[in-house]
Amino acid sequence: MRTILPGKPQAGLQAVCTAEWEGLRLVVCASANDFFHALLTCLALLQVYISGDGLMILSGPDNLVQTIYQEDCDTLIAVAIDEVSGKIAVASSREIHVYRPYGKEDGLLKQEAEGKTLSWGTDEELLIGSSSLRLFQTATEETEIWCRALSKPVKITKFSYDANLIASTGRYDRLIKLWRRQSFGADDTRFDFTYLPHPTAVTAIHWRRPHTRAQASDHVLYSICGDQKLRIWAAMDPHGVQGLQLWAELDMQASVQPRQLSPNLQDQDRFAFIIDSQDFIRTTNTAVKRVLSMRTASPQRPEQHALEHLAEVAKTSPEICVVLDRHGHMSAWGLENVGCKARKPTDIFNIAHVENFDLSFLNSANLSNNNSQLLPFCWDQPDAPFILLAHHFDGRIEWLECRLEDLFAPSPQQKRIYRKFLWTGHDGPVKKIVRSTSGKSIVSRTNDNEALIWTQGYGGSDMGLTRRSTLNCSEHIHRSWLLQEGDFVVNLHHTSISLWDTRCSPAAEVDAISFQIEGHPMCLLQLPKTRLDTKIFHIATVSTKKQGIVWAISLPESPASLGSPAVSSLEQFCTFELDNKDSIAFMLPIDSAGSAVWTSSSLDTFAKDIAISYSADGRLRTWTAALELDKSTVRWLATSTVETGIDSPSLSSASSIRKAALVDNSKTGLTIWDMRSGQLEHSIQYGGLDLIRDLDWSSTPDDQALLAVGFPHKVVILAQMRYNYFVVGPAWAPIREIYIKDSTPHPIGDSTWLGSGNLLIGAGNQLFVYDKIVDSSDAMISDLAVPVHKQGRMNLFDLVTFLNGPLPVFHPQFLSQCILAGKLAQVQRIIYSLYHALKFFTDGDALDSFVSMSPEGLIEEGRVFNTAAKDGESRYGSMDEEMAPDFGEVSASLNEILTKISVPQLSSQEQMHLADMVGCVSTVDKHRRSMDDNAMRYLLFFRQHMVRKAQGPRHRTGITYREMVWAYHSGSQDILVDLASRQFNGRMLWEDAKECGLFMWMTDLNALRLQFETVARNEYTKTDEKNPIHCSLYYLALRKKSVLLGLWRMAAWNREQASTQRLLSNNFQEARWKTAALKNAYALLGKRRFEYAAAFFLLAGNLQDAVNVCLHQMRDLQLAVAVARVYEGDDGLVLRMLLEDKVLPQAASEGNRWLATWAFWMLGKRDLALRSLISPVHTLLDSPASPNMQARSYLANDPALVVLYRQLRGKTLQTLKGASRISPREEWDFVMQNARLYDRMGCDLLALDLVRNWEFLLPPPKELAASRNAGLVDPRTMLRRRSSLVVDDVSSPKSPTGMKAGMGKAPPQKVFEEPEPSSLLDNFGF
């Protein structure tokens, strides 16, 4: 649903028109440059008006069908509709455009004249009036069939309904010239004319609409002139010289006489409109049918005497003349037998005379443009109201609705007529829209420095906007700011600043002062107040040279004091210069998103941000400020800085909750940043034609962010999503796209959020208000995690809360994070409680987010990973362990329930993941007594990965380095190897081993080589032909050339058998055969047989080249590591070079802390392995690599890192030494950042658990603090527990295998002996 402000209508008698065509009611209005080409295929009510150079076509009070702008066209003057053909003609000062309903332009008529009027005749004849009258035939080709020069330009020209007569009059003319057609036909069209005299200037002309075909030739003309009398002209003597004769007069001044003698009510202005008999009879009959049906349903309903009176009046088919004044007095007169020669006194009779007829459009008429034009109409539909369009020449069109029985009821009525909608707006393209802090008031302005101030809310709806004031400024408006909810507006010009009072219309300029500043002013900023009750505001501007000026604005308490000369409303407070070495490309105010501006006297990073700046090299900064009133100064502070790495950004915007959006130089790339953590949350590249032109922030009541991204013809709304480190998805997702091209061809000028969550878009001279209701079944959000019970239409704020709000404790993501945090016992209790809650659950029942559990139990201090429940404590809470059912049975029963019902607060996809999680926890529970904490973490997510893998490629997530690190630090690796092998039915291929990261986390080299040999056998036997090529790399890495040679002897089917067998039979310790192997390796590289080429590099003893092939050509880091470890062990030079030169730079570039900590630990640098969990990886390298955009992503900061950090910090002396080099501030920021990550994931309880139970290291003794950097402090003294549990690994050799075992001396490397060929068959079970 949307609300439309189509534009400011022109102040002219033909700026608005309405007509009925083929069952359609057309109302045509002109604005400035719009035209008609809509396909009209259904019954609808269409209205058209001109505004500036546009034509607005609407099918109801709030439904814009189309807006048509004409290029190189002057302001439109007149518009007219042909009721027969449906054509619309619009006129400017130079030309006429004619349009069909199907979008084809019939022709272009050019007329060099001013003051045009238009009127359609029969057979698609178009009459154009200016300094002459010209008649065109537009049915086939535009042909001029008649022309007559006039002594003065006409003001009004109208055809009669049968096109036999034309009534025309000029400006200030007291004569109506009546033209009578003498002949029809394109070849010989002639008119003669007579005059209809009036005592004063004629102001309005109206031809009676014929009720029947016979009535079409009975011409009746109504005219109004300056003497406030309505004259009725009729053809009482059709054979007379004067075609029409005066039949009667109606004194409008006398017909409305207030009963009170108050001078304020003695107004002389009168307004009148004619209700044609056809419309009156139709509306009355509809009302009678409605009342009869209501009385049939409820016989006790009271009698409708007013309607009975109207029904009697309608029997004589009269026309109704309604006369109004500005003060709510109305009289209605019936006109019968118009045109009869013997007029009776009863032919003009009074129908009603009512008071307190409060019409707001009359009371609020602008005296400078006090004319109003009233257009009544109705249509034959059940419950169709009577409609009155009030076109005010001050730039408004009101759509008013009522029932005729209420309108003419003689008894007092509380409300006789209701304003359904107001059409108004600008007469030029909207350039900028600025909202107040709360979003309840806005100011929109055009390039012509015309500004309109709007207030949200009309008729009890937050969709409507009420025009509060108009502001016309002679100077160029550079920036604007609203004060006191739109009561005052501050305008910044190039060399001056002005204050305007907008409580009245038009706005009045209060004060203006000039200023001088180095550079160009970039923005207007409202500085935080020091007291809420003060009426003094401080507004600042900052220039491109980082110079600034602050102005103090004293606002009056009441309008009376505004003009007091003793009060200075606007004065300069101080000047300042930003203390910043970096240049500023642009600075703009923070989008307040509804938050109030307030600060304490202190200036710190907790203060509200008021501005954001960006530099040419992509450095974002947010700023806050504090006033020092006693010193007349202002202090500035950069609260956050983010290096985005985006050169020459074109646009930026930030919200009050420290989210910032940045657009690249091409205007097609968008990035969203968290300014608190400095991490990238979202990055997207739009198409080349979709240029980003605007960014607007809003927030929900619970501080969830929304971003509207504006393009030339559409707006995309992005909403925050929860962080998810398991099923990696976007942190922001589009939830709505608004296309305006179907309504207007003009590009979007600007947009902003209103305080209620509605979006306001300005395009051309129109304003569109889109509501916050979205349909969750829409294709854009159908894949998002919307709960099943929340499908359908929902509030935008509610949708964002579901997408990014706190999770229930049974949500799969919350359960996953609990398991990583070492809360398996709590997870089991949650699963059991959920089973108990869903056991008798039916649709419509409420489900507690905590499933009747206490939140305190989930964050109890010391609740770490328990392989079994504590002594005396049950996993099932208060239930006795012996009486409680087996956890496996509970899990199976719960999964069965999950297949039958829809769980509230979960989407269908999340419910499927919950079932997977329950099954995985059940599997882990079976092995909980035989493996340690880290093994359980690995097994749980490996099992979950395998379950989702079986569901199809869409659900594959893969084992990440996070799971590999858990397994690497596990002491139960033999069990993990066995379980992983069973998962692949004992036939693990390399792809399977890579999938579970086996050769990255195994630490026992003997077991590693045995498993690698198993992979080699499985690769050989994976096909029926048993190709030795498939296992060559693996056996040569194991240095088992003889085994590979035996396999080639059995491959008689392979055409490469003979040559390969001869080659392998040689001694590759000799240089000759090494060279031969290298030649073969390079030849295979040329044939892109990379794996086989790596095998020949190993055959030549060149491990480095083999590893390079695996890494660069095959792009398989795990294979490169596995080959290096198997070939030369963990102490090998090649492995060390691989880790130092390839793995660590890759981890630094990608920001992959899991990969970095694993690599440092493999290198024996345990202190760096720990520090890499907190510090940026590139800062720990000797030659730091430049981090890419991926390294700045939120995915580089997994909250599970804090779990690993806490586990490793006190494990060995090296890790404890590394922890001692981390400052308390760094550790504090690390903990708080992970708490925010938990909160962003919807795991608020885990965030609370983290900050509540975290233990910082003790500071060193004061007497040794100075020697801390010299390494004289024993880091064990910083622990809060027994230091004897820390492994002393400082003096031991740096063998990763030895250090993994926690031993002081590395075990000797076992020498492998090649088996005899005779044992080859036994190895393969032959």
Side-chain angles (χ1 to χ4, degrees):
M1 179 181 176
R2 66 179 181 181
T3 301
I4 304 167
L5 297 169
K8 179 181 179 181
Q10 299 293 81
L13 292 176
Q14 277 200 285
V16 184
C17 69
T18 175
E20 187 173 355
W21 169 70
E22 294 187 0
L24 300 172
R25 167 61 61 174
L26 306 176
V27 181
V28 187
C29 324
S31 164
N33 58 8
D34 313 338
F35 293 93
F36 181 49
H37 71 288
L39 177 62
L40 305 177
T41 58
C42 61
L43 294 180
L45 188 68
L46 294 187
Q47 305 82 36
V48 188
Y49 73 89
I50 53 176
S51 173
D53 55 352
L55 184 71
M56 317 302 174
I57 306 169
L58 301 97
S59 62
D62 57 354
N63 185 20
L64 181 67
V65 175
Q66 189 176 2
T67 304
I68 312 171
Y69 290 93
Q70 183 71 17
E71 297 181 359
D72 302 327
C73 180
D74 295 338
T75 299
L76 301 181
I77 300 173
V79 61
I81 307 176
D82 183 12
E83 290 188 344
V84 178
S85 65
K87 290 182 177 181
I88 296 179
V90 287
S92 67
S93 61
R94 294 179 299 157
E95 55 196 21
I96 311 296
H97 293 265
V98 181
Y99 288 87
R100 288 179 181 172
Y102 294 93
K104 179 180 178 182
E105 183 177 340
D106 277 341
L108 179 65
L109 308 179
K110 293 185 178 180
Q111 173 74 19
E112 298 297 334
E114 295 182 359
K116 291 187 180 65
T117 65
L118 301 172
S119 182
W120 288 95
T122 59
D123 300 328
E124 303 183 27
E125 293 178 342
L126 179 62
L127 178 66
I128 303 172
S130 57
S131 58
S132 63
L133 290 180
R134 305 175 67 183
L135 184 61
F136 287 84
Q137 175 58 249
T138 66
T140 55
E141 296 181 357
E142 294 73 32
T143 305
E144 182 179 311
I145 60 176
W146 178 72
C147 179
R148 183 68 176 267
L150 301 175
S151 59
K152 61 185 300 185
V154 294
K155 175 185 178 183
I156 306 173
T157 300
K158 287 190 177 181
F159 255 126
S160 64
Y161 282 91
D162 63 352
N164 276 323
L165 297 178
I166 299 174
S168 67
T169 185
R171 186 178 299 274
Y172 309 118
D173 198 342
R174 66 179 187 87
L175 298 175
I176 293 180
K177 188 174 290 186
L178 187 67
W179 303 81
R180 184 165 53 184
R181 189 189 292 261
Q182 300 296 315
S183 64
F184 286 85
D187 297 333
D188 185 19
T189 300
R190 291 177 289 114
F191 287 85
D192 63 2
F193 66 90
T194 58
Y195 292 102
L196 302 180
H198 291 72
T200 57
V202 177
T203 58
I205 294 175
H206 174 77
W207 287 102
R208 183 182 70 176
R209 178 186 297 274
H211 182 49
T212 61
R213 184 181 296 273
Q215 208 177 28
S217 58
D218 296 335
H219 303 111
V220 175
L221 178 67
Y222 301 94
S223 65
I224 300 176
C225 67
D227 63 351
Q228 302 289 337
K229 288 186 178 181
L230 172 72
R231 289 173 174 81
I232 307 168
W233 306 84
M236 294 182 292
D237 184 9
H239 303 290
V241 177
Q242 196 170 5
L244 297 179
Q245 294 81 34
L246 181 64
W247 183 75
E249 291 182 352
L250 179 63
D251 191 344
M252 297 190 298
Q253 187 71 36
S255 64
V256 177
Q257 290 294 334
R259 297 178 182 180
Q260 301 178 12
L261 299 179
S262 173
N264 296 330
L265 301 179
Q266 303 302 318
D267 185 73
Q268 302 299 317
D269 291 336
R270 296 293 184 268
F271 304 89
F273 61 89
I274 304 296
I275 303 177
D276 292 312
S277 61
Q278 181 179 358
D279 290 340
F280 178 69
I281 295 172
R282 179 190 300 174
T283 304
T284 303
N285 292 337
T286 300
V288 170
K289 293 178 182 178
R290 182 182 66 252
V291 171
L292 289 177
S293 62
M294 294 170 59
R295 188 170 297 172
T296 302
S298 178
Q300 304 300 325
R301 295 184 64 87
E303 297 289 337
Q304 297 283 340
H305 298 292
L307 182 59
E308 293 174 359
H309 173 62
L310 291 181
E312 289 296 324
V313 172
K315 292 180 180 179
T316 59
S317 303
E319 280 77 31
I320 308 298
C321 176
V322 181
V323 183
L324 311 166
D325 68 2
R326 293 186 183 276
H327 304 290
H329 303 98
M330 182 202 79
S331 65
W333 299 84
L335 307 176
E336 290 183 3
N337 304 319
V338 177
C340 64
K341 294 183 179 179
R343 183 174 69 84
K344 297 179 293 183
T346 57
D347 288 344
I348 300 178
F349 58 95
N350 182 260
I351 296 177
H353 185 95
V354 298
E355 296 180 352
N356 299 322
F357 190 69
D358 297 326
L359 296 178
S360 60
F361 68 92
L362 292 178
N363 292 334
S364 60
N366 193 323
L367 295 179
S368 60
N369 296 297
N370 61 355
N371 193 17
S372 295
Q373 182 182 21
L374 306 177
L375 302 174
F377 62 88
C378 57
W379 69 100
D380 191 12
Q381 291 184 5
D383 294 330
F386 173 77
I387 299 173
L388 181 66
L389 289 182
H391 172 212
H392 305 290
F393 283 22
D394 64 346
R396 297 174 295 130
I397 297 177
E398 290 183 294
W399 179 292
L400 301 154
E401 293 184 358
C402 69
R403 294 178 177 178
L404 280 184
E405 62 268 29
D406 295 333
L407 183 66
F408 297 136
S411 59
Q413 300 286 326
Q414 184 177 4
K415 196 76 173 177
R416 295 180 182 273
I417 193 165
Y418 297 86
R419 186 168 76 174
K420 186 70 176 293
F421 212 80
L422 176 68
W423 295 337
T424 184
H426 293 275
D427 59 2
V430 176
K431 177 184 179 182
K432 185 65 178 177
I433 303 175
V434 179
R435 54 169 270 173
S436 64
T437 302
S438 66
K440 296 180 181 179
S441 299
I442 65 167
V443 56
S444 57
R445 69 172 188 267
T446 65
N447 289 322
D448 299 329
N449 301 316
E450 176 203 38
L452 297 179
I453 293 82
W454 308 85
T455 301
Q456 185 185 7
Y458 169 74
S461 171
D462 58 3
M463 286 288 293
L465 290 177
T466 302
R467 192 181 74 179
R468 181 173 185 173
S469 180
T470 61
L471 190 155
N472 290 285
C473 185
S474 58
E475 292 187 71
H476 172 73
I477 301 177
H478 186 51
R479 295 288 184 266
S480 297
W481 194 270
L482 291 167
L483 297 176
Q484 286 193 176
E485 295 300 335
D487 286 347
F488 296 88
V489 174
V490 179
N491 287 329
L492 178 69
H493 314 287
H494 290 304
T495 58
S496 65
I497 185 171
S498 59
L499 175 65
W500 297 74
D501 183 0
T502 58
R503 293 171 294 180
C504 56
S505 184
E509 185 177 12
V510 177
D511 199 359
I513 57 175
S514 301
F515 65 86
Q516 291 183 351
I517 192 171
E518 184 180 357
H520 300 286
M522 295 184 290
C523 58
L524 267 184
L525 306 171
Q526 181 178 346
L527 301 185
K529 290 184 178 181
T530 55
R531 292 186 303 122
L532 285 177
D533 58 350
T534 180
K535 284 290 185 177
I536 300 178
F537 296 83
H538 291 83
I539 300 293
T541 186
V542 181
S543 73
T544 53
K545 300 295 185 181
K546 296 183 290 186
Q547 305 293 318
I549 302 176
V550 179
W551 293 277
I553 300 175
S554 301
L555 298 185
E557 298 291 340
S558 62
S561 63
L562 179 62
S564 175
V567 178
S568 177
S569 298
L570 179 62
E571 63 180 359
Q572 184 171 313
F573 177 75
C574 69
T575 61
F576 63 89
E577 181 177 1
L578 290 181
D579 185 14
N580 180 26
K581 297 180 180 179
D582 303 324
S583 61
I584 295 179
F586 200 77
M587 176 180 279
L588 65 158
I590 292 288
D591 199 326
S592 57
S595 62
V597 179
W598 171 255
T599 186
S600 62
S601 58
S602 61
L603 185 66
D604 50 38
T605 57
F606 296 100
K608 285 282 187 180
D609 296 332
I610 64 171
I612 183 173
S613 65
Y614 60 86
S615 61
D617 57 355
R619 184 180 296 104
L620 287 175
R621 274 197 175 92
T622 55
W623 300 84
T624 189
L627 291 166
E628 294 184 347
L629 300 179
D630 54 342
K631 299 180 181 179
S632 296
T633 60
V634 61
R635 293 184 297 147
W636 290 83
L637 176 67
T639 56
S640 61
T641 303
V642 175
E643 300 285 349
T644 66
I646 299 175
D647 294 330
S648 302
S650 58
L651 185 62
S652 180
S653 181
S655 71
S656 57
I657 56 177
R658 294 194 175 174
K659 303 290 182 183
L662 190 67
V663 181
D664 63 10
N665 189 32
S666 64
K667 297 184 179 181
T668 58
L670 172 68
T671 54
I672 301 177
W673 301 82
D674 187 329
M675 297 300 293
R676 285 191 178 95
S677 60
Q679 61 190 16
L680 174 67
E681 290 193 343
H682 187 62
S683 178
I684 186 172
Q685 195 74 27
Y686 292 97
L689 298 179
D690 289 335
L691 300 181
I692 301 174
R693 303 179 61 172
D694 190 27
L695 299 170
D696 294 289
W697 288 96
S698 182
S699 65
T700 65
D702 55 347
D703 280 345
Q704 309 289 347
L706 287 166
L707 176 62
V709 184
F711 298 90
H713 296 284
K714 69 176 181 180
V715 175
V716 178
I717 299 177
L718 301 177
Q720 279 183 296
M721 303 285 289
R722 297 185 190 95
Y723 287 170
N724 196 332
Y725 293 90
F726 300 104
V727 184
V728 178
W732 292 75
I735 59 175
R736 190 176 185 183
E737 282 192 1
I738 299 174
Y739 291 91
I740 68 164
K741 202 166 186 178
D742 295 337
S743 301
T744 174
H746 203 288
I748 296 174
D750 197 11
S751 61
T752 191
W753 291 94
L754 300 178
S756 60
N758 300 325
L759 184 65
L760 176 65
I761 299 176
N765 53 356
Q766 300 170 337
L767 296 174
F768 301 84
V769 182
Y770 289 87
D771 66 4
K772 56 185 177 183
I773 302 300
V774 295
D775 192 347
S776 60
S777 61
D778 187 86
M780 180 165 290
I781 58 177
S782 59
D783 293 335
L784 302 180
V786 180
V788 176
H789 290 263
K790 296 295 181 181
Q791 298 289 344
R793 292 174 60 82
M794 60 191 309
N795 189 295
L796 188 66
F797 288 170
D798 294 338
L799 174 62
V800 177
T801 300
F802 286 126
L803 297 178
N804 193 42
L807 294 172
V809 295
F810 50 83
H811 194 281
Q813 172 153 288
F814 185 84
L815 296 178
S816 301
Q817 291 299 324
C818 283
I819 292 169
L820 287 179
K823 297 181 179 294
L824 182 61
Q826 284 88 330
V827 170
Q828 291 173 329
R829 291 172 56 199
I830 292 172
I831 291 176
Y832 181 80
S833 298
L834 181 62
Y835 165 71
H836 182 74
L838 297 181
K839 192 173 182 179
F840 303 103
F841 183 85
T842 58
D843 288 340
D845 292 349
L847 184 61
D848 182 22
S849 297
F850 295 99
V851 286
S852 302
M853 295 180 61
S854 171
E856 291 78 5
L858 295 173
I859 59 174
E860 182 181 348
E861 186 175 2
R863 296 302 292 251
V864 295
F865 215 131
N866 296 323
T867 56
K870 291 183 178 181
D871 294 339
E873 182 181 312
S874 171
R875 286 179 286 159
Y876 306 105
S878 60
M879 183 177 290
D880 188 5
E881 183 79 25
E882 295 181 357
M883 298 178 59
D886 180 72
F887 184 76
E889 296 177 1
V890 172
S891 301
S893 301
L894 179 58
N895 276 342
E896 184 179 355
I897 294 174
L898 292 176
T899 60
K900 298 178 180 179
I901 65 172
S902 297
V903 180
Q905 306 182 52
L906 293 182
S907 67
S908 57
Q909 185 178 2
E910 289 169 344
Q911 187 167 330
M912 179 182 64
H913 290 171
L914 174 61
D916 297 342
M917 177 65 67
V918 172
C920 294
V921 173
S922 178
T923 302
V924 170
D925 183 68
K926 297 177 183 178
H927 303 278
R928 69 181 187 275
R929 299 185 185 274
S930 57
M931 59 177 62
D932 61 7
D933 303 350
N934 290 332
M936 284 192 176
R937 290 185 175 101
Y938 174 83
L939 180 60
L940 180 74
F941 293 104
F942 173 68
R943 171 66 180 166
Q944 189 175 5
H945 159 66
M946 297 306 297
V947 169
R948 294 185 181 180
K949 176 185 175 183
Q951 296 172 354
R954 179 184 176 185
H955 300 282
R956 290 190 181 184
T957 56
I959 290 297
T960 64
Y961 289 109
R962 176 184 56 241
E963 284 75 41
M964 297 179 196
V965 169
W966 294 129
Y968 181 71
H969 288 287
S970 171
S972 310
Q973 291 186 354
D974 52 344
I975 300 177
L976 292 181
V977 172
D978 180 64
L979 292 175
S981 179
R982 290 182 184 180
Q983 188 66 45
F984 300 106
N985 301 317
R987 295 185 57 82
M988 182 182 289
L989 302 175
W990 169 250
E991 288 300 323
D992 303 328
K994 179 182 177 181
E995 188 174 354
C996 60
L998 190 67
F999 296 99
M1000 298 288 285
W1001 52 261
M1002 288 186 67
T1003 56
D1004 187 343
L1005 280 177
N1006 293 332
L1008 180 77
R1009 292 189 172 106
L1010 288 175
Q1011 192 62 36
F1012 202 73
E1013 187 172 2
T1014 301
V1015 172
R1017 282 199 302 269
N1018 294 334
E1019 287 287 340
Y1020 173 69
T1021 59
K1022 69 179 179 181
T1023 60
D1024 293 337
E1025 62 184 10
K1026 297 180 180 179
N1027 193 343
I1029 296 177
H1030 295 160
C1031 62
S1032 297
L1033 175 62
Y1034 306 98
Y1035 278 115
L1036 291 177
L1038 290 165
R1039 301 176 185 267
K1040 294 189 175 183
K1041 186 191 69 171
S1042 58
V1043 176
L1044 181 62
L1045 180 60
L1047 296 179
W1048 272 108
R1049 288 170 182 165
M1050 294 184 291
W1053 55 271
N1054 196 317
R1055 63 181 182 180
E1056 298 178 358
Q1057 181 200 28
S1059 58
T1060 305
Q1061 188 174 346
R1062 287 195 304 270
L1063 181 63
L1064 292 178
S1065 301
N1066 298 296
N1067 182 8
F1068 286 90
Q1069 299 299 323
E1070 300 179 8
R1072 169 190 175 187
W1073 296 112
K1074 284 186 178 182
T1075 304
L1078 289 175
K1079 289 182 179 180
N1080 280 277
Y1082 288 119
L1084 290 169
L1085 282 177
K1087 296 179 180 180
R1088 304 187 66 80
R1089 297 174 65 180
F1090 300 129
E1091 182 178 330
Y1092 205 26
F1096 272 88
F1097 279 122
L1098 291 179
L1099 187 62
N1102 196 335
L1103 174 62
Q1104 183 65 61
D1105 288 341
V1107 168
N1108 289 338
V1109 171
C1110 296
L1111 188 64
H1112 299 296
Q1113 275 71 34
M1114 299 180 66
R1115 301 184 183 279
D1116 193 339
L1117 174 61
Q1118 290 195 41
L1119 183 59
V1121 171
V1123 169
R1125 296 185 68 189
V1126 169
Y1127 193 86
E1128 63 174 5
D1130 287 346
D1131 296 324
L1133 179 61
V1134 174
L1135 178 62
R1136 177 172 292 274
M1137 293 175 60
L1138 173 64
L1139 296 177
E1140 292 179 346
D1141 299 339
K1142 301 297 182 182
V1143 176
L1144 285 175
Q1146 176 183 338
S1149 177
E1150 299 174 355
N1152 193 331
R1153 300 181 186 274
W1154 297 102
L1155 181 60
T1157 187
W1158 171 84
F1160 279 127
W1161 201 281
M1162 286 287 295
L1163 290 169
K1165 301 177 180 179
R1166 295 188 175 188
D1167 54 340
L1168 295 180
L1170 184 78
R1171 293 173 59 189
S1172 65
L1173 300 177
I1174 294 182
S1175 304
V1177 180
H1178 68 275
T1179 62
L1180 304 177
L1181 304 182
D1182 295 333
S1183 55
S1186 177
N1188 58 18
M1189 193 68 73
Q1190 183 180 351
R1192 299 181 173 95
S1193 172
Y1194 74 96
L1195 295 173
N1197 298 303
D1198 192 332
L1201 291 168
V1202 75
V1203 180
L1204 182 62
Y1205 175 81
R1206 178 159 49 185
Q1207 180 186 126
L1208 299 181
R1209 182 177 61 179
K1211 189 172 185 179
T1212 71
L1213 278 180
Q1214 276 202 60
T1215 57
L1216 194 53
K1217 183 179 178 181
S1220 66
R1221 294 180 178 176
I1222 298 173
S1223 67
R1225 178 66 186 183
E1226 286 181 291
E1227 188 171 352
W1228 166 272
D1229 292 339
F1230 177 62
V1231 173
M1232 295 307 298
Q1233 180 185 15
N1234 282 277
R1236 286 192 294 267
L1237 292 178
Y1238 276 131
D1239 180 70
R1240 190 71 161 78
M1241 296 172 68
C1243 305
D1244 303 62
L1245 282 176
L1246 294 180
L1248 180 59
D1249 173 70
L1250 177 63
V1251 298
R1252 177 180 177 180
N1253 299 326
W1254 184 262
E1255 290 184 355
F1256 290 91
L1257 293 178
L1258 293 172
K1262 294 182 178 179
E1263 61 273 11
L1264 298 177
S1267 61
R1268 183 177 179 182
N1269 294 332
L1272 300 179
V1273 179
D1274 187 352
R1276 283 175 290 194
T1277 61
M1278 305 174 66
L1279 289 174
R1280 297 178 183 268
R1281 57 184 175 84
R1282 292 179 58 189
S1283 59
S1284 60
L1285 300 177
V1286 179
V1287 177
D1288 185 0
D1289 60 348
V1290 175
S1291 59
S1292 61
K1294 299 301 186 291
S1295 169
T1297 305
M1299 288 189 297
K1300 181 67 185 72
M1303 300 173 62
K1305 184 178 180 180
Q1309 183 174 344
K1310 184 178 178 180
V1311 178
F1312 284 82
E1313 297 180 359
E1314 293 188 4
E1316 296 294 333
S1318 60
S1319 65
L1320 180 63
L1321 298 180
D1322 294 335
N1323 288 339
F1324 290 91
F1326 295 145

